[in-house]
Amino acid sequence: MKVLSPILACLALAVVVSHAALSPEQYWSYKLPNTPMPKAVKEILHPAHFGVFAELMEEKSTSVNVGGGGVNVNTGKGKPGGDTHVNVGGKGVGVNTGKPGGGTHVNVGDPFNYLYAASETQIHEDPNVALFFLEKDMHPGATMSLHFTENTEKSAFLPYQTAQKIPFSSDKLPEIFNKFSVKPGSLKAEMMKNTIKECEQPAIEGEEKYCATSLESMIDYSISKLGKVDQAVSTEVEKQTPMQKYTIAAGVQKMTDDKAVVCHKQNYAYAVFYCHKSETTRAYMVPLEGADGTKAKAVAVCHTDTSAWNPKHLAFQVLKVEPGTIPVCHFLPRDHIVWVPK
């Protein structure tokens, strides 16, 4: 009997082990056998109310919620009565200035799109609002008032073969809306339209971007950019709690010193992740302990080169720094994922 060479055997195996042959979980295990699946992925593989594509297509109105699991940041600054609360959702930021007599809610767009510019109104609402923070302020003993909200954006992954058959482009919006029974001009339609628009925008200088419409495509993209993947992580919290003070505990772990792929969950009829690969990113796992004893492991990303960001990005307005001068950091919401290489 003729025996295949090792190379031919591997090629034959690759043909057999394809997207179509494996479930998303099996594909993860095959491609990333030594990498645990983060909670952010597990939660949207088979949600009870949005589990399979057949059910999704039968829905008369596809559920798309604004503001997936997020992070609220209270800068404090040590000033009496000067607390500033920033609610970081999956898409958009609600800012409560904490001024006497009530707060102000401001929608400042997507803080993870670095081409975005803060409006004059947002900038002057409160110059001390701190969505972003400096790397030097991330150390054991530091305290922050945080609120890690529960993920509300539960749109599920579609199987790779299904996602590949559904158009995902601005010129196909009428067809997309019709397929998901979304009324043109509605809030859902605008959110889906904006997601596709962001995905079609060019990447900023020094980064590569890709919108993954399935778990399999996100895995493939991350591996193609990083080579061997060591970890895929997301922010995790023991339990849902109200706003409270958290202290950074000992054991801050630097997961990568330069290269990483960061994937941000988007508002869409099914799970879509906006992924971008950078060679100038430091990623940390930050252990936190709340005032009530709740423990959290928060993912923080620090951008060491912000020279290509919009000079009017919220980070620069808040931190009073210039593009490209100092690393800028931010926590990630619970439904975002960081991929780091070995």
Side-chain angles (χ1 to χ4, degrees):
M1 183 178 73
K2 187 175 180 180
V3 179
L4 291 175
S5 69
I7 294 177
L8 289 177
C10 288
L11 288 174
L13 179 61
V15 171
V16 173
V17 182
S18 65
H19 297 98
L22 300 175
S23 69
E25 298 98 318
Q26 290 171 329
Y27 194 74
W28 181 288
S29 296
Y30 172 67
K31 286 286 191 174
L32 304 166
N34 300 313
T35 304
M37 184 181 287
K39 187 176 181 181
V41 172
K42 292 178 181 177
E43 287 183 340
I44 56 173
L45 279 175
H46 305 291
H49 67 290
F50 215 19
V52 295
F53 180 66
E55 293 174 355
L56 177 134
M57 294 303 290
E58 288 171 3
E59 288 289 336
K60 296 301 180 184
S61 179
T62 304
S63 175
V64 184
N65 299 313
V66 181
V71 182
N72 294 289
V73 181
N74 172 4
T75 62
K77 302 282 186 183
K79 300 176 182 178
D83 285 356
T84 299
H85 303 291
V86 180
N87 176 36
V88 186
K91 301 282 289 178
V93 182
V95 179
N96 180 354
T97 63
K99 296 176 182 177
T104 301
H105 183 82
V106 182
N107 181 16
V108 299
D110 181 3
F112 307 110
N113 180 350
Y114 307 121
L115 294 173
Y116 139 82
S119 71
E120 288 299 314
T121 301
Q122 293 152 8
I123 294 168
H124 295 296
E125 221 22 80
D126 188 335
N128 294 316
V129 172
L131 164 62
F132 291 79
F133 60 93
L134 299 179
E135 195 170 25
K136 66 181 180 64
D137 296 327
M138 183 174 54
H139 57 82
T143 61
M144 306 179 195
S145 289
L146 304 170
H147 181 206
F148 296 99
T149 61
E150 186 177 6
N151 296 356
T152 59
E153 173 51 74
K154 295 295 187 181
S155 53
F157 281 114
L158 296 185
Y160 174 83
Q161 317 92 281
T162 303
Q164 291 298 103
K165 295 175 183 177
I166 300 175
F168 188 81
S169 63
S170 293
D171 60 356
K172 297 289 186 181
L173 279 170
E175 181 181 345
I176 296 170
F177 292 156
N178 182 63
K179 184 174 287 291
F180 290 97
S181 299
V182 174
K183 183 180 179 180
S186 65
L187 177 60
K188 296 177 201 172
E190 288 305 303
M191 288 189 294
M192 293 171 68
K193 178 181 176 180
N194 289 339
T195 289
I196 292 178
K197 182 180 177 181
E198 285 192 14
C199 287
E200 291 175 339
Q201 287 179 339
I204 66 172
E205 184 179 351
E207 290 193 345
E208 299 175 50
K209 60 176 282 191
Y210 172 74
C211 279
T213 57
S214 67
L215 177 58
E216 294 93 327
S217 60
M218 183 163 57
I219 292 170
D220 289 347
Y221 176 77
S222 299
I223 292 175
S224 72
K225 297 305 175 184
L226 300 177
K228 292 184 177 180
V229 172
D230 181 39
Q231 298 180 75
V233 296
S234 59
T235 294
E236 296 187 13
V237 185
E238 278 186 339
K239 63 180 180 180
Q240 184 68 28
T241 67
M243 172 83 71
Q244 64 170 330
K245 285 195 178 296
Y246 280 87
T247 301
I248 298 179
V252 175
Q253 176 194 358
K254 182 188 289 184
M255 296 182 290
T256 180
D257 200 30
D258 48 21
K259 184 165 61 174
V261 169
V262 183
C263 295
H264 308 284
K265 186 127 188 311
Q266 304 296 290
N267 287 316
Y268 207 68
Y270 53 90
V272 172
F273 281 80
Y274 174 106
C275 299
H276 54 105
K277 175 246 185 177
S278 172
E279 301 278 353
T280 57
T281 298
R282 285 196 280 264
Y284 296 85
M285 182 61 76
V286 183
L288 300 168
E289 184 166 344
D292 68 349
T294 299
K295 290 182 170 56
K297 293 188 297 181
V299 177
V301 173
C302 297
H303 302 271
T304 59
D305 183 3
T306 58
S307 57
W309 290 24
N310 191 311
K312 293 187 177 181
H313 189 278
L314 182 63
F316 304 131
Q317 311 299 330
V318 168
L319 300 174
K320 303 299 182 185
V321 297
E322 297 294 326
T325 58
I326 190 170
V328 170
C329 306
H330 57 84
F331 284 113
L332 288 182
R334 290 162 65 177
D335 55 357
H336 295 198
I337 303 163
V338 174
W339 306 73
V340 297
K342 286 187 177 179

